Amino acid sequence: MEEFHKVRRLPPYVFEQVNRLKASARSRGADIIDLGMGNPDLPTPKAIVDKLCEVVRDPRTHRYSSSRGIPGLRRAQAAYYQRRFGVKLNPDTQVVATLGSKEGFANMAQAITAPGDVILCPNPTYPIHAFGFIMSGGVIRSLQVEPDDGFIPALERGVRHSIPKPLALILNYPSNPTALVASLDFYKDVVAFAKKNDIIILSDLAYSEIYFDGNPPPSVLQVPGAIDVCVEFTSMSKTFSMPGWRMGFAVGNERLISALTRVKSYLDYGAFTPIQVAAAHALNGDGADIAEVREVYHKRRDVMVDSFGRAGWNIPAPAASMFAWAPIPEPFKHLGSLEFSKLLIEHADVAVAPGVGF
């Protein structure tokens, strides 16, 4: 039987491929060291869990919630942006809660994409950045992922050689999976380019709080005038070890936020209200929980880089995120990343995510 049209456009999800390899190895009795999908394993801080338990006992919170996020949650996210980035947001028109940044990206694609629209997307990148638009009928034009002097010339080529003119540009720094970090000067250049060429910027800032060298990653919205063309997505999954809670945000340009809010209103009733209240409690905290999570990842990064280096596999130390962009060792480069991943599982009982683009 022929596959459905949208399904035909989607290759097997890379993390599902890794999961199948892990399951097969475990069925043979292997004890797998899992360095694959970035799935936070730290417990959610107690104060956040306690707030959830307190609120869930009120039966009034068991009703349908608000798709765009309860007012207190949107105010808390706006306050976080003011403290962390010095960016002032209107919680009523420039903030919408999402079921994680992944859902936000996918539904933004649904909201703004017409069939054949061209999207500029760094490669490699997190799969939903590209495939959210592919599922919505868009076309992806790949760009380099490095935020260096070659990025603007790559954008210029992307615009020059695209028909129709690109609709949007996707940014993701700190990057999943490369762990690259962008500077504020880089964002200034990109915003100027986007405004000159009437291109929307969609920035995924899910790893803003997982940094290791005392240099907090900036937000593109710190650039004056960026809000005219930009929406930024964040997530509480990594920042507060809340991956299963499915809580994130989109903030920025009012027209784009309005479009996303309208699409979401047809698709969901928002996260469970006690989760939203607990998330607001987390965002309004003193930041100690964030610092503790960051320190754990910092220590893990150092152990991994040191251990792999002593084993003969030199891995650049990432400045941010929970990922390491590891080059395949020279004797195995001919295999490619997926085959090398299979080899690691079969012979070393170590699972990693293949470093592939799309």
Side-chain angles (χ1 to χ4, degrees), residues 93-148:
T93 60
Q94 295 176 323
V95 179
V96 61
T98 64
L99 305 180
S101 58
K102 183 176 183 178
E103 176 268 327
F105 246 94
N107 281 328
M108 179 62 82
Q110 291 282 349
I112 69 175
T113 310
D117 277 344
V118 176
I119 309 299
L120 301 173
C121 184
N123 187 359
T125 192
Y126 185 52
I128 199 63
H129 295 158
F131 289 106
F133 287 93
I134 289 173
M135 287 187 286
S136 301
V139 177
I140 297 297
R141 177 175 287 279
S142 296
L143 299 172
Q144 69 173 58
V145 70
E146 294 82 4
D148 57 21

Side-chain angles (χ1 to χ4, degrees), residues 181-317:
V181 179
S183 68
L184 192 56
D185 285 340
F186 167 82
Y187 284 139
K188 290 177 181 177
D189 292 341
V190 172
V191 168
F193 181 91
K195 298 184 81 167
K196 178 181 177 181
N197 291 277
D198 192 25
I199 294 174
I200 295 165
I201 295 175
L202 301 176
S203 170
D204 188 347
L205 195 62
Y207 299 92
S208 61
E209 299 297 352
I210 311 299
Y211 59 89
F212 309 124
D213 299 324
N215 190 20
S219 161
V220 66
L221 291 176
Q222 291 176 246
V223 177
I227 204 164
D228 297 337
V229 294
C230 182
V231 164
E232 191 157 66
F233 299 82
T234 57
S235 168
M236 300 190 73
S237 297
K238 290 80 183 177
T239 304
F240 293 98
S241 295
M242 296 171 64
W245 299 56
R246 305 314 303 136
M247 179 53 61
F249 301 91
V251 306
N253 179 266
E254 289 187 13
R255 175 170 173 259
L256 294 170
I257 293 296
S258 176
L260 173 58
T261 302
R262 181 180 296 187
V263 167
K264 279 179 56 63
S265 70
Y266 282 92
L267 298 175
D268 68 68
Y269 288 107
F272 187 35
T273 297
I275 289 178
Q276 296 195 45
V277 174
H281 182 72
L283 287 166
N284 289 328
D286 61 7
D289 293 333
I290 299 175
E292 289 178 10
V293 169
R294 183 186 304 126
E295 183 58 26
V296 170
Y297 283 119
H298 193 172
K299 290 178 180 178
R300 289 180 177 182
R301 180 202 70 165
D302 292 346
V303 169
M304 182 196 67
V305 170
D306 177 66
S307 299
F308 276 61
R310 286 188 282 111
W313 188 0
N314 293 317
I315 296 176

